[in-house]
Amino acid sequence: MRRRIEQDSGVKAYDIYGLSEIIGPGVASECTAQAGLHIFEDHFYPEIIDPQTCQVLPDGQEGELVLTTLSKWAMPMIRYRTRDITNIINEPCPCGRTIRRIKRINRRSDDMFIIRGVNVFPSQIEEALLSVEGTLPHYQIILTREKGLDMMEIQVEVTAQVFSDQIRALENLQAKLNSAVEHTLGIRAKIKLVEPHSIQRSEGKAKRLIDNRKL
Ligand SMILES: [Zn+2]
């Protein structure tokens, strides 16, 4: 998505991180190196924990970001669990800033789901889909249960050009996506190609998963 924004608009796009419980955007931000987001450690104290055991992990290890506000008045947050999965990069940055960086966040500890005994993050599905030419970064995962078996349907938007192509081209793309997803997850999913803009857009964080399984 970033590549598309940069290409189509001609501006360089920077990732900025925040959450409304802390301050909104402005907790961490990329610099011109675009190699992780500097976290403003003079205002926020970051820790990375194992989401299961809550144990604090050393820099470099991946886990859940926990934030403590250092300068906030009236509603300070102490060791607030963000549910965002990242790791702290404690290496010098080419830009010269000495505050540490966090890796770009692309998944949350609470959006993992289990299907047929396999742990799946929507971000894994996203990577598989975007590895195939002609798809857009808009998709939705729908889980259902049929006769006791978990089924996964992935609806993915394709470019207008692809959608106007012949049936054969669409079938081709569908087969490519099927094998990309199966290769990444080790399980099969039903791929449904949909028109551009047919999946509902959300403001802020996208809702990727609809779980209709009755457990
Ligand atoms: Zn930097």
Side-chain angles (χ1 to χ4, degrees):
M1 188 180 275
R2 162 141 75 185
R3 272 199 306 274
R4 279 199 58 144
I5 290 170
E6 289 187 337
Q7 271 168 18
D8 294 354
S9 68
V11 299
K12 207 164 176 182
Y14 295 100
D15 194 5
I16 185 166
Y17 170 76
L19 53 164
S20 39
E21 302 92 310
I22 302 285
I23 190 185
V27 174
S29 179
E30 275 185 334
C31 61
T32 47
Q34 290 184 320
L37 293 82
H38 287 283
I39 187 152
F40 297 106
E41 293 185 271
D42 44 348
H43 296 286
F44 312 102
Y45 181 73
E47 293 170 281
I48 299 289
I49 63 161
D50 178 320
Q52 256 88 50
T53 64
C54 294
Q55 217 182 346
V56 178
L57 301 172
D59 284 0
Q61 271 193 41
E62 191 177 78
E64 183 180 328
L65 178 65
V66 171
L67 291 170
T68 296
T69 58
L70 302 176
S71 57
K72 205 174 172 201
W73 287 42
M75 201 178 80
M77 287 291 191
I78 298 163
R79 304 195 88 184
Y80 182 76
R81 291 186 64 172
T82 64
R83 307 284 167 184
D84 291 323
I85 302 285
T86 182
N87 61 269
I88 291 178
I89 306 165
N90 190 5
E91 284 157 24
C93 182
C95 76
R97 286 179 183 85
T98 52
I99 46 176
R100 289 177 296 172
R101 285 168 289 162
I102 52 171
K103 206 182 83 186
R104 185 172 73 90
I105 287 149
N106 62 8
R107 60 194 175 97
R108 289 170 55 76
S109 63
D110 56 0
D111 66 7
M112 190 192 84
F113 61 91
I114 299 173
I115 178 161
R116 288 177 235 155
V118 179
N119 294 352
V120 178
F121 284 101
S123 56
Q124 292 175 288
I125 293 176
E126 181 168 324
E127 268 171 45
L129 297 177
L130 291 177
S131 70
V132 177
E133 187 86 21
T135 55
L136 295 171
H138 299 292
Y139 63 96
Q140 201 149 49
I141 304 154
I142 298 156
L143 302 180
T144 52
R145 180 162 288 176
E146 287 168 30
K147 292 176 187 155
L149 187 69
D150 287 349
M151 308 296 276
M152 172 162 59
E153 179 178 288
I154 303 167
Q155 298 184 351
V156 55
E157 287 186 11
V158 295
T159 57
Q161 200 203 330
V162 168
F163 205 79
S164 63
D165 269 348
Q166 291 172 344
I167 297 287
R168 183 180 291 252
L170 287 172
E171 283 173 350
N172 239 326
L173 179 62
Q174 204 164 15
K176 273 191 200 156
L177 290 169
N178 258 318
S179 73
V181 168
E182 194 178 355
H183 181 75
T184 307
L185 303 180
I187 49 173
R188 290 190 72 89
K190 185 182 164 201
I191 305 282
K192 190 177 172 191
L193 304 180
V194 296
E195 279 180 83
H197 302 290
S198 59
I199 292 172
Q200 204 190 348
R201 302 291 190 265
S202 55
E203 283 174 36
K205 287 164 187 162
K207 182 158 172 52
R208 301 296 194 191
L209 182 70
I210 297 171
D211 195 344
N212 291 329
R213 295 178 292 183
K214 287 182 184 71
L215 300 174

